[in-house]
Amino acid sequence: MIASKSRSGLSVSGAFVEANVVDGKFITKVYKARRITKRFKEKSGIAQSKELKRRMDTFLQAAIEEARKGLAEGGIPIGSVLVLDGKIIGRGHNQRVQRDSVIHHAEMNCLENAGRLKASVYKRCVLYSTLSPCPMCSGAIVLYKIPHIVVGENVTFKGPEEYVCSQGVKVEVLQDPVCIQLMRDFIKTKPELWNEDIGE
């Protein structure tokens, strides 16, 4: 059996061996590699970060689904979800075309669909959006003191993220390829409608 050196002992065929000399005697302890790996991940925070990423991917996917709904309805493919304590409490997508509206961007539509909430609730929320929020939607985020927003991408359009950050909001940009492609395809096929949406 071949053993290789490690920082804390020897790794032998899927096991971890800890060797020590106590009162002149050579003593070994054998641990299963799975337990060591799990213990290391938990201690280092790797397990927690993977779980956080998995949940983040789930919420972004929900926002992408909203964006695709909007596109299927003949609208602009931008979606948003509002998350409270790990649960989605509001969903929405851009409906300026569908409702002939001047304010129903994805984030505004999401907040509207979440309903009237107390300030204490908004302060515990995370808002996900497939695209960087525009000045109007950013203003709503700041107004209601939503502390954290997760942005699918800001390649095709970038809102006032620096201002939002200056107001104490954590802005996390993922540059998700699906979000980027959705907008690139739409802007290419319907540039006039897109320019209208962002006030150009």
Side-chain angles (χ1 to χ4, degrees):
M1 186 177 293
I2 299 175
S4 60
K5 292 183 179 179
S6 68
R7 286 190 299 175
S8 301
L10 302 174
S11 177
V12 184
S13 301
F16 185 86
V17 181
E18 182 180 3
N20 294 292
V21 177
V22 180
D23 295 330
K25 295 181 180 179
F26 188 73
I27 298 176
T28 62
K29 291 182 181 180
V30 180
Y31 303 92
K32 289 184 178 180
R34 289 180 182 176
R35 290 183 181 178
I36 292 297
T37 302
K38 183 180 180 182
R39 189 179 303 168
F40 171 75
K41 286 183 176 180
E42 290 176 350
K43 191 173 182 179
S44 65
I46 293 175
Q48 291 91 327
S49 63
K50 283 187 176 180
E51 172 64 14
L52 182 62
K53 184 178 185 301
R54 183 191 67 78
R55 292 173 69 180
M56 185 179 293
D57 289 345
T58 299
F59 299 138
L60 180 63
Q61 186 58 44
I64 291 172
E65 289 172 6
E66 287 293 325
R68 285 175 170 153
K69 282 182 185 179
L71 184 63
E73 295 166 358
I76 300 170
I78 307 171
S80 180
V81 297
L82 186 65
V83 177
L84 172 68
D85 299 336
K87 294 182 180 180
I88 295 175
I89 62 170
R91 300 169 182 261
H93 51 272
N94 188 301
Q95 294 195 42
R96 289 187 71 252
V97 175
Q98 299 93 311
R99 294 193 180 193
D100 197 25
S101 168
V102 297
I103 63 170
H104 274 276
H105 281 194
E107 300 88 345
M108 301 294 282
N109 184 245
C110 174
L111 293 174
E112 177 73 10
N113 291 337
R116 183 179 174 183
L117 301 172
K118 293 182 178 180
S120 59
V121 175
Y122 287 118
K123 291 177 182 179
R124 291 159 48 205
C125 286
V126 181
L127 182 69
Y128 287 74
S129 180
T130 57
L131 185 66
S132 181
C134 73
M136 176 176 67
C137 299
S138 295
I141 291 166
V142 172
L143 173 66
Y144 292 115
K145 297 180 175 62
I146 297 173
H148 185 187
I149 60 174
V150 179
V151 177
E153 64 104 348
N154 66 2
V155 173
T156 60
F157 174 82
K158 184 177 180 181
E161 294 174 6
E162 289 79 8
Y163 168 73
V164 175
C165 287
S166 74
Q167 299 303 301
V169 179
K170 179 181 179 181
V171 179
E172 194 166 357
V173 183
L174 304 181
Q175 305 301 24
D176 180 80
V178 174
C179 295
I180 295 172
Q181 198 60 49
L182 270 173
M183 287 309 302
R184 280 180 172 167
D185 291 344
F186 179 81
I187 293 170
K188 183 178 180 180
T189 56
K190 297 184 178 181
E192 291 182 3
L193 184 55
W194 169 239
N195 288 335
E196 177 191 325
D197 192 69
I198 58 176
E200 292 185 358

